[in-house]
Amino acid sequence: MTPEKNTFADLPPLSEYHLSAEARLCLNECSTELDTVLSTLPEHDQLLFKLRQHRWFQNLYDGLAPVYGHRKDFNGFVQKLIDTMAGGYAARPKALKLLDLKRDLQPDWFQHESMLGYVFYVEQFAGSLAKVTDHIDYLDELGATYIHLMKVMQSRDGEDDGGYAVTDYASVDKSLGTNDDLKNVCTALRNRGMSPCIDLVLNHCASEHPWAMAARSGDEHYQSYFYMFDDRQLPDVFEETLPEVFPEFAPGNFTLDEVSGKWVWTTFNHFQWDLNWSNPDVFLEIVDVMFKLANLGVEVFRLDAVAFMWKRPGTDCQNQEEVFDLMQALRTCSRIATPAVAHKAEAIVAPDDLIRYFGVGRHHGKVSNVAYHNSLMVHYWSALASRNTRLMTHALSEFPRTPNSISWATYLRCHDDIGWAIADDDARAIHLDGFAHRRFLSDFYAGEFAGGFARGVVFQHNKVNGDRRINGTFASLAGLEIALEEGNEHHIHLAIERILLGHALICGFGGMPLLYMGDELGLLNDHSYATSPDHAGDSRWVHRPVMNWERAARRHDVSTIEGRLFNGIIAIAQARRRTQQLSARYDTEILDLGHPSVFANINRHPNGSLIGLYNFTEQTQLIRIDHLPDMALLNMVDELEQQQAVTSSGHIHLRAYGRLWLS
Ligand code: GLC
């Protein structure tokens, strides 16, 4: 018997997809070349593409139309986009198409409680891309399932903002290897159940990118890829409402390009030229790059600096509505052509704006899959310094609800600085002065506070608003550096407990925790960057140390600091994997226990809730059991240590920096 074959005639009619009349018309008019582009594929592959295209086209149209719909060439643009998607899909290797199918069936894969990220600069961690594969066992030991490889694509020579000044989006940086190496690393990671993530720098490219070089030499086509002005008139208007991202080393938002004689929009450094996303050619270029990288096996794109992608006079040019349209459209392109791929938004903005990166209102749940929980990070460090959780509890309780199809990336350290994003309103609500508290945090983490445990470095002192951001590794900020210098065993113990408290918090919050390279071993601040001409001006390099594999070799010896940290962290990671309440699908709520130094949250799961308790002080704290909701009060088990929680006379005991996951 010959197997039954589906044909195009079996495709569900477009009417089944609830497309708007405009979207349907656009889809029909713009798909005329589609069959030719797909013609090399087996028929079932062609069918699959069309099914996905029809299923998601409305989302795509709804993202594109508000931004580009007014243009006469809109249909021509959509046609090119459809052909690019079909081309990307046609070139997709078989193994990745299988992953696409798996993820069609398990679209919540990145929300699973087994997800755990590990983040590193390739050069610092392994020396080159090819050598990353030598360390996969190490990543596996940690339980990592998501690997963020940093500075992978070609960046400019000299200063390059840590790799975020890209000269070629589609080629691996020559100092790290080749595209084949990237493909091999991705394959090796995938075969071990780890999803590779790389950055896609959406807001800007390097001033040496071929597009910028052409623009400088007067090519009008490429000048329209950027914001270039003949004089200061418009730049001055914009400057009135624009903040400065790097006030110390890159004041202002515009740079005079000597070659073209034009003022160029450069939000970050003078060598990073902002892309003009109102030009649909920019959209097409980036989509093409996205598919090329996805087809090498990249599974997650960290969309860098997305808040800045749209400019509007009279505003701070961040979080503009068009950003969410564009991101929804980009996300939909992946869903249609490379559905295994997830998008992570890097937007370090206030909560009400942050939530929009998951999609609110007409964008609900359609903008990106994952976004950084910057507030959780800031409030961890704030509560740790003040030994007081009231601000943290208040601010995080006020957080808007998220769609249940997304995941927070929870983290406490990354390659960037910490900015004290403490809202004045939140501070006021608990009778604190926001400015004074931010100043206290800067002093504390710069190591300028008498009796403090932290040793960090001030970054970008903003003379206008007084902000001083902070750099430093987890261990140095949490007290290990000073404790080791003192040779004080008790202080070493407390520093380790602070680090483990932090990891329990990000693993127990419900979302995808990201571990930053070296934190699992307690790597300290590394000041050697100051001798490198390309890094000396940017103290973020103090917390981008080279991996110390000799220290890593001590990780199984629990009498060492490395062993205590490493084993502590993998025990937390293992507990996370067996705790189904920690899937990002379930709501995380903040509990106000009325306790000044314990932070509490609850993850509600149909099979029973999980309560996380975190003591931010070096004293034992007691929690009254009858203050906890939803619990079978007598038989509470701590899922972290898999034992009965210690209770007496109606209280739960939390030791110094203790953490409990009660179920
Ligand atoms: C992101 C990166 C940061 C970089 C900036 C500009 O915030 O994390 O390192 O400096 O974008 O590209």
Side-chain angles (χ1 to χ4, degrees):
M1 214 171 84
T2 44
E4 214 182 307
K5 256 183 99 186
N6 287 327
T7 69
F8 291 112
D10 300 320
L11 272 176
L14 281 187
S15 56
E16 273 193 16
Y17 294 92
H18 307 291
L19 293 171
S20 66
E22 296 83 2
R24 189 178 317 171
L25 190 67
C26 179
L27 178 65
N28 281 332
E29 284 183 3
C30 299
S31 297
T32 48
E33 298 301 313
L34 187 57
D35 289 335
T36 319
V37 185
L38 293 175
S39 63
T40 55
L41 297 178
E43 199 168 343
H44 66 268
D45 268 15
Q46 300 189 32
L47 278 168
L48 204 51
F49 179 86
K50 289 191 177 176
L51 282 168
R52 290 188 180 125
Q53 183 204 25
H54 294 177
R55 168 67 182 89
W56 299 118
F57 193 77
Q58 187 71 51
N59 286 5
L60 182 64
Y61 184 85
D62 290 344
L64 297 175
V67 182
Y68 304 121
H70 64 283
R71 301 179 68 103
K72 277 214 289 295
D73 59 353
F74 181 62
N75 273 12
F77 157 66
V78 178
Q79 175 161 347
K80 279 190 207 151
L81 182 59
I82 289 178
D83 294 350
T84 308
M85 288 193 290
Y89 173 75
R92 193 148 170 84
K94 226 170 149 186
L96 295 173
K97 282 193 174 148
L98 192 62
L99 192 65
D100 290 339
L101 276 179
K102 264 177 78 181
R103 293 199 173 148
D104 278 342
L105 296 171
Q106 201 203 348
D108 58 349
W109 63 276
F110 58 89
Q111 297 184 300
H112 201 260
E113 58 272 20
S114 63
M115 290 305 286
L116 182 82
Y118 189 75
V119 182
F120 56 80
Y121 270 99
V122 170
E123 191 176 350
Q124 317 299 86
F125 180 69
S128 72
L129 263 175
K131 289 199 189 129
V132 169
T133 46
D134 297 345
H135 300 294
I136 293 190
D137 286 342
Y138 182 82
L139 301 173
D140 196 41
E141 234 182 278
L142 276 166
T145 55
Y146 158 103
I147 310 295
H148 178 186
L149 307 150
M150 259 189 302
K151 184 183 152 116
V152 173
M153 307 326 290
Q154 186 68 52
S155 62
R156 77 197 282 275
D157 293 337
E159 280 183 274
D160 70 348
D161 188 29
Y164 291 89
V166 175
T167 51
D168 184 347
Y169 283 104
S171 304
V172 163
D173 198 284
K174 289 193 190 61
S175 66
L176 297 171
T178 63
N179 282 20
D180 276 343
D181 292 335
L182 178 57
K183 188 173 167 186
N184 293 340
V185 172
C186 289
T187 307
L189 290 172
R190 184 170 71 246
N191 290 342
R192 296 287 292 273
M194 301 177 202
S195 296
C197 163
I198 69 168
D199 282 275
L200 197 58
V201 188
L202 292 188
N203 179 63
H204 45 265
C205 64
S207 45
E208 289 73 20
H209 191 289
W211 304 335
M213 296 302 275
R216 295 170 105 170
S217 66
D219 183 327
E220 285 181 9
H221 173 72
Y222 285 105
Q223 287 190 343
S224 68
Y225 278 37
F226 301 97
Y227 293 94
M228 300 179 83
F229 305 92
D230 292 333
D231 53 41
R232 285 283 321 184
Q233 202 190 336
L234 277 171
D236 285 342
V237 172
F238 278 109
E239 281 290 16
E240 278 172 29
T241 49
L242 281 175
E244 291 176 325
V245 179
F246 296 138
E248 276 188 2
F249 56 55
N253 289 276
F254 299 88
T255 302
L256 179 63
D257 170 46
E258 303 286 350
V259 183
S260 62
K262 290 183 190 277
W263 287 91
V264 184
W265 199 309
T266 54
T267 299
F268 292 86
N269 289 288
H270 66 86
F271 51 78
Q272 289 162 300
W273 286 23
D274 287 37
L275 289 166
N276 184 346
W277 282 86
S278 71
N279 179 349
D281 287 341
V282 169
F283 191 94
L284 287 172
E285 298 267 17
I286 295 292
V287 168
D288 187 47
V289 164
M290 231 165 56
F291 297 151
K292 287 195 173 112
L293 298 174
N295 285 348
L296 293 176
V298 172
E299 295 178 31
V300 182
F301 288 114
R302 175 188 182 275
L303 304 179
D304 180 73
V306 283
F308 302 87
M309 280 166 71
W310 196 266
K311 328 288 185 194
R312 176 165 282 119
T315 72
D316 62 359
C317 297
Q318 291 185 44
N319 317 307
Q320 300 297 309
E321 187 68 5
E322 288 81 353
V323 169
F324 307 103
D325 292 325
L326 288 166
M327 290 183 72
Q328 173 173 325
L330 288 171
R331 167 91 201 94
T332 313
C333 289
S334 291
R335 282 186 124 166
I336 292 173
T338 59
V341 168
H343 289 194
K344 178 168 67 153
E346 192 251 350
I348 308 304
V349 298
D352 285 341
D353 283 321
L354 179 52
I355 201 79
R356 299 167 72 196
Y357 289 86
F358 291 135
V360 298
R362 68 190 171 88
H363 299 113
H364 187 87
K366 299 173 193 160
V367 173
S368 52
N369 308 93
V370 182
Y372 287 92
H373 203 320
N374 180 58
S375 297
L376 181 68
M377 187 272 284
V378 166
H379 283 287
Y380 163 80
W381 291 107
S382 162
L384 204 61
S386 61
R387 276 83 165 176
N388 192 305
T389 53
R390 282 166 56 229
L391 179 59
M392 179 178 194
T393 300
H394 173 78
L396 296 181
S397 312
E398 296 286 293
F399 234 80
R401 277 188 72 150
T402 53
N404 65 2
S405 56
I406 58 80
S407 174
W408 287 116
T410 56
Y411 70 113
L412 297 172
R413 285 309 290 122
C414 70
H415 69 291
D416 281 329
D417 50 287
I418 307 175
W420 301 118
I422 305 273
D424 286 333
D425 284 350
D426 287 334
R428 211 172 296 124
I430 61 145
H431 312 295
L432 274 182
D433 177 67
F435 180 79
H437 188 62
R438 290 190 293 271
R439 189 177 54 195
F440 157 70
L441 293 172
S442 297
D443 287 347
F444 189 92
Y445 285 105
E448 291 163 9
F449 191 82
F453 52 73
R455 180 163 295 162
V457 177
V458 171
F459 181 65
Q460 304 297 319
H461 183 181
N462 186 326
K463 304 275 173 359
V464 178
N465 59 17
D467 277 355
R468 281 170 299 151
R469 283 135 66 181
I470 291 291
N471 289 325
T473 65
F474 203 142
S476 290
L477 295 179
L480 191 59
E481 187 168 335
I482 292 184
L484 284 169
E485 257 171 39
E486 293 169 337
N488 182 324
E489 263 312 315
H490 180 58
H491 288 174
I492 292 174
H493 165 75
L494 290 178
I496 289 176
E497 290 301 302
R498 287 183 197 110
I499 297 171
L500 295 179
L501 170 77
H503 284 91
L505 175 72
I506 56 173
C507 287
F509 195 77
M512 174 163 52
L514 304 181
L515 313 187
Y516 183 62
M517 188 208 86
D519 291 346
E520 74 281 15
L521 302 170
L523 296 196
L524 302 179
N525 287 345
D526 175 3
H527 291 271
S528 64
Y529 75 94
T531 58
S532 148
D534 297 339
H535 297 164
D538 186 344
S539 65
R540 286 177 296 176
W541 284 97
V542 84
H543 55 248
R544 299 170 184 172
V546 173
M547 183 58 163
N548 188 326
W549 290 106
E550 267 170 38
R551 289 189 56 183
R554 297 203 281 268
R555 68 187 180 277
H556 298 130
D557 177 353
V558 288
S559 70
T560 63
I561 287 170
E562 295 80 5
R564 283 152 80 184
L565 279 171
F566 192 89
N567 288 291
I569 290 173
I570 58 174
I572 294 167
Q574 280 163 2
R576 176 177 154 77
R577 270 201 296 282
R578 43 169 203 262
T579 308
Q580 54 184 350
Q581 290 94 332
L582 294 176
S583 156
R585 287 178 56 191
Y586 303 104
D587 281 349
T588 298
E589 281 166 40
I590 310 306
L591 291 179
D592 189 349
L593 304 178
H595 195 294
S597 19
V598 171
F599 175 74
N601 67 300
I602 182 164
N603 302 85
R604 296 194 191 277
H605 188 278
N607 293 348
S609 301
L610 183 81
I611 292 185
L613 297 178
Y614 305 92
N615 175 2
F616 276 76
T617 68
E618 41 273 87
Q619 288 84 39
T620 298
Q621 302 293 345
L622 300 179
I623 301 289
R624 279 183 51 180
I625 293 184
D626 57 7
H627 282 180
L628 301 178
D630 277 14
M631 287 282 164
L633 295 179
L634 287 176
N635 284 319
M636 265 181 299
V637 174
D638 169 27
E639 298 292 346
L640 275 168
E641 310 234 328
Q642 287 189 293
Q643 58 189 20
Q644 293 274 122
V646 182
T647 53
S648 64
S649 59
H651 288 89
I652 295 177
H653 292 229
L654 265 174
R655 63 171 195 272
Y657 296 118
R659 50 271 163 191
L660 295 171
W661 291 353
L662 299 175
S663 69

